Amino acid sequence: MKLSQLVIFTILFSSFISKSFGQGCCTAGSSTFGGLERGISKQGNIILGVSFISTSLNSTFNGREKISDPLDRTASISSFNIELEYGLSEKVSLLVFGGYVLKHRQTTVRSGTDNSREVISFEGKGIGEVIILGKYEIITPTILSPLGLTIGGGVKLPVGSYTQEVDGSRLAIDLQPGTGSTDVLLWGNFYKGFQPVSLAMFVTTLYRYAGSNLDGYRFGDEYLFSVGSEYYLTDFLTFSLSARGRFSDKDFWGGRFLPSTGGTYYDLLPSIIYAEGLYNLRVFYQTPLYRNVQGIQLTTSSIIGVVLLFNIQ
């Protein structure tokens, strides 16, 4: 089989596989990093953030069992994000979050003539989706009562492309930088400080109600939560540890729910935070704890990220 024939075969084969094994291989789920993990920006303040997040998807599961991937797939996602949050009033702020995303997947294909192996790569890149979220602080933490509760709502706008092509064939939806749909977001953040022991506890939740794109493809709704604590090692250095969960419904397209989409995912995320003056630097690493997926899925094996925040008063 010639290389050109092999490439054409692989693109067609991948199109079939994306329907048979689901679209979730490079869709790691909505991010709850950055501005979605903190309370409001104070009135008149601007929080400017930049981040880089690298996601590896090298683990394949069938239900709760980790298996060898039947298609010899590996994948990665790199995202470069910018966020801006402005305090509109004493208890209300507005967050805008977006960035550039690069998704890469490779598959090993065997030749039908000489049983040789060829590694074929696919890549989608471009501007990702944009999140706009309004926050309202119900309970304001103080020195005497370090308890905070904030709720919010917003939308994910279909800014990123979902129709990129390679050699005249459209990439699978999970490799597109965007989804093409407008999603509704409901969000909440709870914070409780324990000053005598230099400790704080927090809970963050996010529900995403997904819309359909113009092709009629609809990603499954998902619910994410994070429960964790922060321990203040010094005045400027903090260690954080959280458990994160994601519950995702099946994707829907062509009048049916797609196999090998949706599932339950738990992860552990330690991080170190350095804060001095008006800036805050966070480095984190996420590792899997538990997977229970629908059918066979290539899932997230690790996430490494760096977030830098500036508080402009």
Side-chain angles (χ1 to χ4, degrees):
M1 181 181 292
K2 296 181 179 179
L3 180 59
S4 60
Q5 294 174 320
L6 185 62
V7 170
I8 294 173
F9 167 77
T10 303
I11 292 174
L12 295 175
F13 183 67
S14 295
S15 176
F16 167 77
I17 288 301
S18 67
K19 297 178 178 61
S20 301
F21 284 87
Q23 302 283 2
C25 103
C26 289
T27 306
S30 298
S31 172
T32 58
F33 301 112
L36 296 174
E37 286 195 327
R38 62 171 183 265
I40 68 169
S41 175
K42 296 305 179 182
Q43 184 175 4
N45 282 14
I46 297 175
I47 296 178
L48 174 64
V50 292
S51 63
F52 170 73
I53 299 173
S54 176
T55 303
S56 296
L57 299 96
N58 299 323
S59 301
T60 300
F61 280 78
N62 183 4
R64 290 178 292 183
E65 180 185 2
K66 187 174 182 179
I67 63 172
S68 297
D69 192 87
L71 303 177
D72 289 329
R73 297 171 298 175
T74 60
S76 64
I77 304 173
S78 298
S79 59
F80 306 85
N81 306 308
I82 297 178
E83 62 177 277
L84 182 68
E85 184 170 354
Y86 178 70
L88 298 173
S89 67
E90 184 179 350
K91 289 184 172 292
V92 178
S93 68
L94 182 67
L95 171 69
V96 180
F97 184 98
Y100 184 89
V101 62
L102 188 153
K103 297 182 177 181
H104 179 269
R105 180 174 70 212
Q106 65 180 32
T107 302
T108 301
V109 178
R110 291 181 180 273
S111 170
T113 56
D114 57 7
N115 204 34
S116 62
R117 297 164 65 92
E118 182 76 21
V119 177
I120 305 299
S121 296
F122 304 91
E123 185 175 273
K125 56 186 176 181
I127 301 298
E129 310 290 41
V130 171
I131 290 175
I132 301 177
L133 184 82
K135 300 179 181 179
Y136 175 72
E137 190 173 59
I138 298 177
I139 302 176
T140 302
T142 65
I143 295 177
L144 297 178
S145 179
L147 175 69
L149 178 62
T150 308
I151 61 173
V155 292
K156 180 187 72 63
L157 299 177
V159 175
S161 171
Y162 68 101
T163 59
Q164 287 190 5
E165 296 183 351
V166 173
D167 296 330
S169 296
R170 185 187 292 192
L171 290 170
I173 187 66
D174 60 308
L175 283 171
Q176 300 288 346
T179 64
S181 66
T182 299
D183 302 346
V184 176
L185 306 175
L186 298 176
W187 171 86
N189 176 266
F190 173 81
Y191 169 88
K192 172 62 177 173
F194 302 92
Q195 292 180 342
V197 291
S198 301
L199 185 71
M201 307 291 292
F202 60 86
V203 178
T204 300
T205 64
L206 177 69
Y207 176 72
R208 181 181 63 86
Y209 178 79
S212 299
N213 61 29
L214 294 179
D215 289 336
Y217 194 98
R218 182 178 185 274
F219 283 93
D221 299 341
E222 64 179 3
Y223 171 70
L224 300 98
F225 76 90
S226 179
V227 179
S229 63
E230 295 179 342
Y231 181 73
Y232 305 103
L233 301 171
T234 68
D235 290 339
F236 54 85
L237 196 62
T238 302
F239 173 75
S240 176
L241 182 66
S242 61
R244 303 158 65 89
R246 175 187 171 219
F247 308 94
S248 176
D249 293 333
K250 287 186 174 182
D251 297 356
F252 185 84
W253 184 63
R256 66 188 181 99
F257 289 99
L258 298 183
S260 295
T261 59
T264 299
Y265 315 80
Y266 289 103
D267 298 275
L268 187 68
L269 190 147
S271 61
I272 291 290
I273 304 166
Y274 179 85
E276 185 173 354
L278 300 179
Y279 75 90
N280 177 305
L281 176 66
R282 178 187 181 193
V283 180
F284 62 86
Y285 175 79
Q286 179 175 299
T287 185
L289 290 176
Y290 173 82
R291 300 284 187 262
N292 187 5
V293 302
Q294 301 291 329
I296 298 176
Q297 294 186 35
L298 184 63
T299 68
T300 302
S301 51
S302 66
I303 298 178
I304 300 174
V306 179
V307 181
L308 180 61
L309 299 176
F310 299 91
N311 190 350
I312 305 172
Q313 299 178 345

